[in-house]
């Protein structure tokens, strides 16, 4: 999946030219590299923690929309997929930030992985997107 082709050209701007799609892809690569640089600055102690966070982000953002796409008998609304993806990202990054800020004050909750709130918010976003938007 690329931000340029799959998100920009197919969803945000279906009539995009090849040049616009290439620019969106390049901007997506730069944004991803910027996010990685920011994460390295926060998690400088462990590259494993960064890898784990990226895995949690990917899984929480994509798992629910993809599974629903595979197993749904009806066509799905695009808003459901987008809200599911955004919910997964917000939930994972949000809980990672809470753990980073609160640390040991969370007690046993400090060990709760960011993947799980991300999956919950992804499912919630997917359901809201499928219920609150009108069909085509």
């Amino acid at each position: 999946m690329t931000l340029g082709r799959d998100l920009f050209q197919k969803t945000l701007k279906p009539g995009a030219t090849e040049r616009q799609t290439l620019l969106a892809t390049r901007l997506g690569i730069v944004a991803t590299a910027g996010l990685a640089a920011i994460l390295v600055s926060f998690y400088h102690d462990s590259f494993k923690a960064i890898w784990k966070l990226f895995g949690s982000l990917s899984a929480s953002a994509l798992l629910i929309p993809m599974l629903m796409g595979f197993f749904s008998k009806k066509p799905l609304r695009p808003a459901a997929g987008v809200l599911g993806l955004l919910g997964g990202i917000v939930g994972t990054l949000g809980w990672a930030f809470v753990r980073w800020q609160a640390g040991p004050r969370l007690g046993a909750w400090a060990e709760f992985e960011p993947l799980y709130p991300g999956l919950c918010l992804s499912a919630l976003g997917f359901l809201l997107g499928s219920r609150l938007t009108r069909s085509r």
Side-chain angles (χ1 to χ4, degrees):
M1 183 177 125
T2 63
L3 293 175
R5 183 118 7 238
D6 296 326
L7 184 63
F8 179 73
Q9 189 180 37
K10 290 182 181 176
T11 305
L12 298 176
K13 192 171 183 184
T17 65
E18 191 64 32
R19 183 179 172 109
Q20 291 171 324
T21 304
L22 181 62
L23 178 63
T25 301
R26 288 179 178 166
L27 289 174
I29 291 169
V30 169
T32 303
L35 178 62
I38 291 168
L39 288 173
V40 166
S41 70
F42 286 126
Y43 289 102
H44 55 80
D45 294 336
S46 172
F47 184 75
K48 181 182 167 190
I50 297 168
W51 189 259
K52 191 173 174 182
L53 183 61
F54 269 117
S56 294
L57 274 171
S58 300
S60 65
L62 298 174
L63 185 65
I64 300 294
M66 285 181 62
L67 284 176
M68 295 305 291
F70 287 143
F71 295 114
S72 177
K73 298 191 187 326
K74 303 186 294 187
L76 300 173
R77 298 177 178 148
V82 171
L83 288 177
L85 185 132
L86 291 175
I89 292 171
V90 168
T92 301
L93 288 178
W95 186 252
F97 182 76
V98 166
R99 278 184 20 171
W100 176 64
Q101 286 294 311
R105 293 185 310 231
L106 290 173
W109 287 101
E111 299 301 317
F112 196 66
E113 293 297 327
L115 171 68
Y116 302 118
L119 285 173
C120 290
L121 284 182
S122 178
L124 181 64
F126 191 89
L127 289 173
L128 286 174
S130 62
R131 300 282 183 221
L132 298 178
T133 58
R134 56 186 166 91
S135 60
R136 292 182 181 188

